[in-house]
Each structure stands twice: as structure tokens, then as C-alpha cells.
Amino acid sequence: MQNTLKASVAFEGVGLHSGKPARMVLIPAPAGHGIVFKRTDIALGNTVVPARWDLVERSPLCTRLVNGSGVSVSTVEHIMAALAGCGVHNALIEIDGPEVPIVDGSSAPFVRGIMEHGVQRLAAPIMAYEILKPVTVEKDGARATLLPSDRLTIEFHIDFAEAAIGRQSKVLDMRNGSFARELCDSRTFCRQADVETMQANGLALGGKPGENAVVFDGERVESGAGLRHSDEPVRHKMLDALGDLALAGGPILGRYVGERAGHALTNTLLRALFAEPGAVRAVACDAAMTARLPGQGLIWSEIPAEQRRVA
Ligand SMILES: [Zn+2]
């Protein structure tokens, strides 16, 4: 069955790229509502921004949703991953600024906030997207693929020149709370070489190395109290992939393979998937299918404990 939140939960903080503060409130919503953002700081026009793949604006560094009236919400991927990883299918997200708070750079504060109250079961089956045939997209040496499978598996490979990142690969079956246990506390990262370029382009203005992002500079790592996992970067890429795939509008039953992929390529993959005849179908999940979805089997004690919750 579909889920929503048992109670509203609020978070606040600055956006990673805009540096602008925002308060974000997750509010329970009925079955079939989906995940929908609403900008409460804009008085006029259509301020509702559904979390859907076809509203994603092409931007390489974060996932930004823009509705038909030009109203946007940026950096939605980490809250989308938290909701998907906790098995929350319906929520209204009121936000009074242009960008989701980056908090500690991971999804863990969101997961803790959501699971503190837990999820509420609703009287309607979960609609999932079953992958029926392989779809692949490639750009500039990066590749993203969806393959048929009876569950969501995320496989990721990265390869960076920075010695402290290097090559990292990981595969994870997303059942049994594995998102909360294995991925949710892995933080946003970047290379020192990229920081100045981003800031010159008006991005990463809210970034605080070691506090809400991990910065790699050759063999040097600015990571606060140290990395949370030795392969924290590839885990964060998997977190991003879960959040970006959640923009399909429901859980995906399939195997995602990302090779040096990023937000834009995963969105291109969803666009290719829905454009390809016979590549995907919407299915109402029975009990056995539901048991294989992310969020099933999530245990509070397995959620990493050290995160700061902002509000
Ligand atoms: Zn991210």
C-alpha cells in the first residue's frame, strides 16, 4: 500500500548553490497525490511544482524543477532520495525559498526527521514502474542504463583523477532499508578545482567544506570529522541516483547502472525510458512486489545517528 508521513516535519537551512535560507515543511498527503513542492514565498500565480522528471531543467550540478509558470525548486535530489528510501509516496512539501536546505550535505537528517514519526499506510496500492527492456544513454564518457529486474538495484562506478577518490564501485539491492543503512549519510562532494569555477558561475555559494560538503584536493580531503565511509563519494552518487529516479513518479522495478553519470544524465535516461515504446509499464504492486521496494524493512536503529537535525 502507498504511504505518507504520520506527521508534518520541518527542516531549515541554506541552499548549497544559492546560499539562500529556506524553511521546508513536509506535510502528509492522500493516496495518488505524489510528491509535490509548493513555494510559499511567492504570492502570485502557480506556485505548485510537482516532483516529476518532465519538469527537470537541464542543469549539471543539481536537480532543479521548474513548473509551467517558471516557478522553481532547486536541489531536490537529497529530499527525494530520503522520501523514496523511507517508502513515502505522498507528501506536500512547502518551502519558502528557491532551494532545498543542504543541511549536512546528505539525506540522513531528512531520514531521521521522517522516521521519527514514521509513515502512515494509505488505502491504495503503490504504482511502480517496471522496466521491460534495457534503455541506455551516454554523454561525454558517462553512461546510465536501466535494465529489467523484479526489484530496484543501484550499481554505480566512478573514476576520478584525485587520489583520495580514484575508482569506486558499489552495487546495492535497495530492499530492506538498505538506503538508510548504507547510503543516506553519504555527503555531497566536489573537487577543489571545481569550487572556484562553480562560485564564479554563482553556484556552491552556500557550500561549507567539511560541514555540508566534502572537498577533495589531490590527496587532501576536507571532510569535517573525516569521511563517513571510505567510499563515501560513490555512495553519494547512488543516493543522488535514487533521488533522481524517484522523479519517475513512483518506485522503479529495475536495475540502474551509472558509470560516471550525474543528475542530468539520469534525467536524460528517464526521458529516454518514457519516450521508448514498450520500455516501461506502470503496475499496481501486490504484496510480494511491495516487499521488494525501498523503505520496506527500514529499522530506526539502523539509521546513522550522528547527524544534526536542523529543525
Ligand atoms: Zn547529491
Side-chain angles (χ1 to χ4, degrees), residues 16 61-62 75 77-78 102 105-106 186-189 236-237 239-241 244 263:
L16 176 64
L61 296 173
C62 70
T75 319
E77 55 269 25
H78 303 162
I102 190 66
S106 80
S186 289
R187 292 163 294 176
T188 302
F189 67 96
H236 186 79
K237 297 295 282 187
L239 180 164
D240 280 340
D244 287 331
H263 301 295

Side-chain angles (χ1 to χ4, degrees), residues 87-101:
V88 176
H89 312 104
N90 302 287
L92 175 65
I93 305 178
E94 291 188 347
I95 183 164
D96 66 359
E99 188 176 7
V100 171

